[in-house]
Amino acid sequence: ISCLLRYPDEALMGQLGLLEEAIGCLPDRARKPLGRLAGHLAATPLIELQADYVKTFDLRHRNCLYLTYHHDGDTRLRGRALWRFADVYRRHGYTISDGELPDFLPAVLELASQAAPDDTEPLDLLVECRPGIALLSHSLAEDGSPYVDAIRALELALPQPNPAVLEATRRLRSEERRVGKECRSRW
């Protein structure tokens, strides 16, 4: 999932065969959506993939791949949350490179994939951000984006949401709709 959510470049295109082989080993519920996305990536010219990626993730705030953004926006609260993510990386012996923020979903997924089976801390970061992940899934589905398949596979891999997570997701969607209406009315 991490690889499929990264900016498409020559390196990703060169790894697609290996990714498709790995996807083929997954259970149906993950294999089917990830296979669709990998197939889309393989069948689409790189320049189109890159333009679509930027349009999907960089130009639409609600499709943001930065996990703390959905909950904290660009506030001081987000700074504290980012520090916490960075601290988890540091304690696991990793640093974020290329100027990326530590809450970048593909990076958090990489960290979780490297954690020992009894180390739940990276997974806990994802679970805590579950409402934002659900909002991202909903938004990508509304946009008809093929990337929704990766987020839906991630949701299937995470523990089932509890009532508090479902309520937080509902509140985020409600707030997103309210802010969206306010922005449209200004224009």
Side-chain angles (χ1 to χ4, degrees):
I1 295 171
S2 174
C3 292
L4 295 172
L5 287 175
R6 291 186 184 277
Y7 181 77
D9 58 13
E10 293 291 339
L12 174 64
M13 302 313 284
Q15 295 173 341
L16 274 179
L18 184 59
L19 286 171
E20 288 175 321
E21 187 177 318
I23 289 167
C25 297
L26 297 173
D28 273 356
R29 65 187 193 141
R31 184 177 66 245
K32 288 179 181 178
L34 294 177
R36 276 192 304 268
L37 178 54
H40 168 75
L41 295 174
T44 307
L46 180 59
I47 193 75
E48 287 180 35
L49 292 173
Q50 291 172 332
D52 182 56
Y53 188 93
V54 169
K55 178 183 164 193
T56 300
F57 296 115
D58 296 344
L59 301 179
R60 305 231 18 203
H61 290 292
R62 66 188 207 152
N63 292 347
C64 183
L65 289 175
Y66 296 94
L67 295 172
T68 61
Y69 180 82
H70 295 286
H71 184 266
D72 298 321
D74 283 326
T75 67
R76 282 186 228 185
L77 293 174
R78 184 167 183 223
R80 281 185 252 163
L82 289 171
W83 180 88
R84 182 168 169 258
F85 273 74
D87 188 53
V88 171
Y89 283 95
R90 183 186 53 74
R91 285 188 280 110
H92 284 80
Y94 296 100
T95 58
I96 297 294
S97 60
D98 298 330
E100 202 57 76
L101 293 174
D103 66 336
F104 184 55
L105 179 56
V108 178
L109 290 169
E110 285 292 324
L111 177 65
S113 75
Q114 298 300 314
D118 62 337
D119 180 7
T120 64
E121 194 171 29
L123 178 62
D124 292 343
L125 292 174
L126 291 165
V127 170
E128 289 171 22
C129 295
R130 181 87 192 237
I133 292 169
L135 183 66
L136 175 61
S137 177
H138 178 74
S139 178
L140 291 171
E142 278 186 345
D143 293 348
S145 172
Y147 289 102
V148 71
D149 285 327
I151 303 303
R152 286 184 174 155
L154 171 59
E155 289 179 302
L156 290 171
L158 293 174
Q160 288 297 314
N162 61 36
V165 169
L166 294 172
E167 176 58 22
T169 302
R170 187 198 61 73
R171 283 194 314 269
L172 273 177
R173 281 187 186 161
S174 176
E175 179 65 15
E176 190 270 334
R177 280 189 217 105
R178 185 189 64 74
V179 169
K181 286 178 185 176
E182 286 177 9
C183 289
R184 285 188 296 274
S185 69
R186 289 184 196 149
W187 294 100

